[in-house]
Amino acid sequence: MLRSLLAGPSASASVDEALAMMASGAILVDVRESSEWRAGHALGAVHVPLGDLQGQGLRTLESKGVKAGTGDIVLLICHSGMRSGLACQTLAGDAPFKAINVKGGMIAWQRAGLPMAGAR
């Protein structure tokens, strides 16, 4: 029950679906902390920690080079899917794009053997 309250009603996608969306132009945003990011992240992701995103929302994404407009897809990923669910909620009313939570987060990404960058 706590998981559903924290994750909210945001749209979600599996890691395989997320990879396919990225191939079609979707942007992947990793909302984990810097130490987690340095330990390894999805290839092609942009790093925007959740705390930064919660402070300024859309402005923070834009300052990190994330340029997404109406109809675009921004995928949000964290370690397990909880923080990225919160990120989706943070962006829900402010963003012109569709925010989608990546189910299972980096745990699922790594288990699926999907492309990674950084130390592992």
Side-chain angles (χ1 to χ4, degrees):
M1 177 158 158
L2 180 58
R3 180 179 292 259
S4 65
L5 288 173
L6 291 175
S10 60
S12 62
S14 71
V15 292
D16 291 326
E17 291 168 331
L19 190 62
M21 286 184 227
M22 289 172 65
S24 295
I27 301 164
L28 181 65
V29 176
D30 189 324
V31 298
R32 297 176 301 153
E33 295 298 320
S34 294
S35 60
E36 295 172 288
W37 168 263
R38 286 190 302 271
H41 54 272
L43 191 64
V46 176
H47 183 227
V48 182
L50 179 60
D52 294 350
L53 188 61
Q54 287 177 317
Q56 294 292 318
L58 188 56
R59 279 184 245 148
T60 300
L61 285 178
E62 291 169 348
S63 74
K64 299 284 186 170
V66 176
K67 304 288 187 221
T70 303
D72 290 338
I73 294 174
V74 174
L75 300 157
L76 295 141
I77 193 166
C78 65
H79 179 70
S80 66
M82 296 292 288
R83 287 176 282 178
S84 51
L86 290 172
C88 284
Q89 288 180 345
T90 297
L91 294 170
D94 195 23
F97 52 80
K98 181 156 182 72
I100 298 177
N101 186 18
V102 179
K103 293 185 287 192
M106 287 305 298
I107 294 171
W109 191 276
Q110 288 177 301
R111 283 187 183 152
L114 298 178
M116 297 277 298
R120 283 178 240 151

